[in-house]
């Protein structure tokens, strides 16, 4: 057998292997009830919804000038999910700005004396 025939046979075997793998993946996706295209569309939609929700909270809290610890925690969870499914750098900029906000309104009584220093008698 010459080198050309061996090369052609090897290409045919590899191509067949890839075709079988693709068939198995498509069959699995069809049995799962969702196609790859539908999954990607859902992923894009969820990413956009998470971005919009984070942007709404970012706008609200930066306009107000502060965000309570619980509000920040919710934003952290939202950002984490957004980032894991492929969110971009603008979401990171928003969460960093939310993180930097004070936890209480400047005129709130809870802010007074809350400098974490130890008071001794």
């Amino acid at each position: 057998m010459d080198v050309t025939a061996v090369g052609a046979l090897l290409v045919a075997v590899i191509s067949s292997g890839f075709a079988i793998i693709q068939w198995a993946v498509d069959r699995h996706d069809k049995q799962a009830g969702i196609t790859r295209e539908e999954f990607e569309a859902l992923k894009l939609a969820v990413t956009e919804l998470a971005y919009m929700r984070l942007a709404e909270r970012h706008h609200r809290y930066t306009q107000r000038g502060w965000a309570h610890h619980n509000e920040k925690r919710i934003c952290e969870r939202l950002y984490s999910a957004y980032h894991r499914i492929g969110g971009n750098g603008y979401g990171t900029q928003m969460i960093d700005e939310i993180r930097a906000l004070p936890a209480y309104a400047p005129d709130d009584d809870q802010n007074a004396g809350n400098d974490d220093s130890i008071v001794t008698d």
Side-chain angles (χ1 to χ4, degrees), residues 69-81:
H69 295 296
N70 290 335
E71 293 169 329
K72 288 182 179 186
R73 192 168 50 242
I74 290 167
C75 289
E76 289 289 348
R77 289 194 318 255
L78 185 59
Y79 170 74
S80 178

Side-chain angles (χ1 to χ4, degrees), residues 29-86:
D29 289 349
K30 188 174 180 180
Q31 287 176 346
I34 187 168
T35 65
R36 188 173 311 280
E37 292 81 19
E38 290 170 329
F39 175 78
E40 289 300 320
L42 287 171
K43 181 179 166 187
L44 288 172
V46 170
T47 304
E48 185 63 24
L49 289 171
Y51 170 82
M52 290 172 51
R53 193 67 180 140
L54 188 60
E56 289 169 0
R57 288 177 179 265
H58 173 266
H59 178 74
R60 181 183 324 149
Y61 302 153
T62 55
Q63 290 295 311
R64 187 172 68 186
W66 63 279
H68 190 269
H69 295 296
N70 290 335
E71 293 169 329
K72 288 182 179 186
R73 192 168 50 242
I74 290 167
C75 289
E76 289 289 348
R77 289 194 318 255
L78 185 59
Y79 170 74
S80 178
Y82 167 78
H83 184 69
R84 283 194 311 246
I85 58 176

Side-chain angles (χ1 to χ4, degrees), residues 61-68 101-114:
Y61 302 153
T62 55
Q63 290 295 311
R64 187 172 68 186
W66 63 279
H68 190 269
L101 290 171
Y104 296 100
D107 59 349
D108 193 343
D109 287 340
Q110 292 193 24
N111 213 15
N114 214 5

